[in-house]
């Protein structure tokens, strides 16, 4: 660890650079921050911090900027607590109340809200339906020959299909089958529903044709929604950041964001880790070596469901963004519960 004076100077450099996006010099620090030492001493300390790898020198300027190592020390040890304000909380609460009425809107609107409040790219990895627990199956009459089959999970996800009724079957038969299925499967995650359980239901129903047509719903749900859904927000926000006025640099990042599976893999690598911060050169992929990613996992009744993330320049407001993701995490849980129960 560096000594306390160097820590204060490093903290001042990072806070000034975050707000100004301009390399920071010793005279600027002496004028704007009460560090208790002369500009000459600050200059010497900044030179030491550069030698230790915490600061970098921009050759076209006399000032310095933080390195990934400097940001890491700042985030781990020097970051001032910046809780959400009442006004910011009110914006979030109002957004969910006015924008979200159905479960399928939650994650898309969450991505929009995060990008709106951080002015960076937001990523929301929605849960796999196969990870969700079976809540109920029900059927709604459509006409004399068809029904609407509905499967709902505990996370509020709904799969529905229009299904043909087998010859000789009635709507009451489908209602009876739903009752049997709900009794056997309630609480089980879709991915743990085994053939043995389904065979028991088939036996209880006593009609293979009826069983086959209805349980096509579960198999299609597993086949079509086995992968997580990734929602992006604010991709154009990057272009407003001074670091990304270089078209080639921002183009590389935007092309990377289009790689849906790659971004899912990046977010998935942080699942279960709580709140994580990956800074600059710490990122595995070359396209985001000039970026930081802050990721928060979210849960429903203790079960891990997915993640929220902010992608932006290393010069991002770490404290505010981390507080925002924590608060959003709590709200996402409550919103899902409100829509589902």
């Amino acid at each position: 660890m560096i000594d306390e004076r160097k820590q204060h100077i490093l903290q001042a450099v990072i806070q000034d650079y975050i707000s100004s996006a301009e390399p920071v010099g010793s005279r600027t620090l002496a004028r704007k921050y009460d560090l208790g030492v002369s500009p000459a001493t600050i200059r010497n300390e900044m030179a030491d911090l550069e030698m230790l790898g915490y600061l970098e020198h921009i050759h076209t300027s006399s000032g310095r900027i933080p390195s990934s190592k400097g940001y890491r020390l700042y985030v781990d040890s020097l970051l001032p607590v910046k809780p959400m304000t009442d006004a910011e909380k009110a914006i979030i609460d109002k957004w969910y109340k006015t924008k979200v009425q159905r479960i399928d809107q939650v994650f898309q609107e969450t991505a929009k809200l995060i990008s709106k409040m951080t002015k960076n790219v937001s990523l929301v990895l929605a849960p796999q339906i196969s990870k969700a627990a079976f809540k109920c199956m029900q059927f709604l009459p459509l006409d004399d020959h068809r029904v609407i089959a509905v499967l709902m999970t505990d996370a509020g996800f709904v799969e529905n299909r229009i299904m043909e009724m087998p010859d000789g079957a009635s709507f009451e038969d489908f209602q009876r089958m739903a009752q049997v299925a709900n009794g056997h499967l309630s609480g089980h995650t879709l991915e743990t529903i085994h053939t043995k359980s389904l065979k028991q239901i088939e036996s209880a129903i006593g009609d293979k044709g009826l069983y086959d047509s209805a349980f096509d719903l579960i198999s299609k749900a597993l086949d079509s929604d086995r992968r997580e859904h990734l929602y992006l927000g604010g991709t154009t926000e990057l272009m407003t950041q001074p670091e990304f006025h270089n078209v080639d640099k921002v183009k590389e990042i935007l092309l990377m964001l289009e790689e849906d599976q790659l971004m899912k893999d990046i977010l998935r690598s942080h699942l279960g880790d709580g709140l994580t911060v990956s800074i600059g050169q710490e990122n595995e992929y070359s396209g985001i070596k000039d970026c930081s990613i802050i990721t928060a996992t979210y849960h429903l009744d203790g079960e891990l469901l997915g993640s929220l993330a902010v992608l932006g320049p290393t010069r991002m407001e770490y404290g505010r963004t981390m507080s925002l993701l924590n608060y959003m995490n709590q709200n996402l849980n409550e919103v899902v519960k409100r829509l589902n129960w």
Side-chain angles (χ1 to χ4, degrees), residues 22 32 50 62 153 157 163 166 246 249 254 315:
E22 295 290 339
K32 295 173 65 173
E50 181 182 357
S62 61
T153 72
F157 290 98
M163 303 175 61
N246 182 313
K249 184 178 289 187
L254 293 176
R315 186 194 55 84

Side-chain angles (χ1 to χ4, degrees), residues 43-317:
R43 184 163 54 251
N44 291 334
E45 293 285 26
M46 289 177 70
D48 289 344
L49 287 167
E50 181 182 357
M51 184 179 65
L52 293 169
Y54 293 102
L55 295 178
E56 295 176 347
H57 191 228
I58 303 299
H59 297 296
T60 57
S61 167
S62 61
R64 291 176 174 84
I65 65 172
S67 65
S68 293
K69 182 179 178 181
Y71 281 121
R72 172 49 62 193
L73 179 60
Y74 174 74
V75 168
D76 290 347
S77 305
L78 308 176
L79 187 65
V81 176
K82 193 166 186 180
M84 298 285 293
T85 66
D86 290 340
E88 289 171 329
K89 291 178 181 178
I91 290 173
I92 295 171
D93 295 341
K94 182 179 179 181
W95 183 281
Y96 278 123
K97 287 177 182 177
T98 58
K99 300 282 188 179
V100 178
Q101 303 300 322
R102 304 189 315 272
I103 196 72
D104 58 351
Q105 296 175 320
V106 172
F107 303 105
Q108 185 173 6
E109 292 300 328
T110 296
K112 290 180 182 178
L113 180 55
I114 293 174
S115 64
K116 177 181 174 68
M117 297 193 70
T118 64
K119 304 302 181 185
N120 287 309
V121 173
S122 63
L123 304 101
V124 178
L125 190 64
Q128 300 179 53
I129 191 170
S130 58
K131 294 291 186 185
F134 182 100
K135 183 177 181 181
C136 69
M137 173 186 288
Q138 58 182 315
F139 298 96
L140 306 172
L142 185 60
D143 55 35
D144 290 342
H145 305 288
R146 294 177 300 172
V147 296
I148 301 174
V150 180
L151 183 151
M152 181 175 286
T153 72
D154 65 338
F157 290 98
V158 175
E159 282 295 310
N160 56 77
R161 300 280 190 274
I162 295 176
M163 303 175 61
E164 297 286 339
M165 289 194 293
D167 292 340
S170 66
F171 177 66
E172 287 71 22
D173 292 327
F174 276 85
Q175 288 181 305
R176 178 173 60 84
M177 182 174 58
Q179 188 175 14
V180 172
N182 293 341
H184 280 77
L185 302 180
S186 181
H188 291 275
T189 59
L190 297 187
E191 65 180 0
T192 61
I193 295 176
H194 299 298
T195 304
K196 182 178 179 181
S197 299
L198 299 182
K199 287 294 184 183
Q200 291 175 341
I201 296 172
E202 180 184 349
S203 176
I205 294 171
D207 187 323
K208 189 175 187 307
L210 187 63
Y211 164 86
D212 287 344
S213 63
F215 275 85
D216 179 59
L217 178 64
I218 289 181
S219 63
K220 286 184 177 178
L222 291 172
D223 289 341
S224 63
D225 291 296
R226 193 169 296 277
R227 295 186 300 272
E228 301 97 330
H229 296 283
L230 180 68
Y231 297 89
L232 289 176
T235 53
T236 57
E237 296 285 358
L238 278 181
M239 303 180 73
T240 67
Q241 302 283 4
E243 293 89 338
F244 301 117
H245 286 171
N246 182 313
V247 175
D248 291 333
K249 184 178 289 187
V250 75
K251 181 180 178 181
E252 185 178 7
I253 297 173
L254 293 176
L255 287 173
M256 185 175 176
L257 289 172
E258 291 182 7
E259 296 291 331
D260 190 72
Q261 191 56 48
L262 175 60
M263 299 312 299
K264 287 179 182 178
D265 290 342
I266 291 174
L267 294 185
R268 199 181 295 115
S269 68
H270 295 298
L271 283 177
D273 294 334
L275 192 71
T276 64
V277 183
S278 183
I279 302 170
Q281 296 298 314
E282 296 172 357
N283 290 304
E284 179 181 351
Y285 301 97
S286 60
I288 50 175
K289 292 292 187 181
D290 294 321
C291 299
S292 290
I293 302 177
I294 303 179
T295 309
T297 58
Y298 60 94
H299 301 75
L300 180 66
D301 293 334
E303 290 294 323
L304 178 66
L305 286 183
S307 62
L308 315 175
V310 172
L311 170 69
T314 52
R315 186 194 55 84
M316 71 163 65
E317 294 186 74

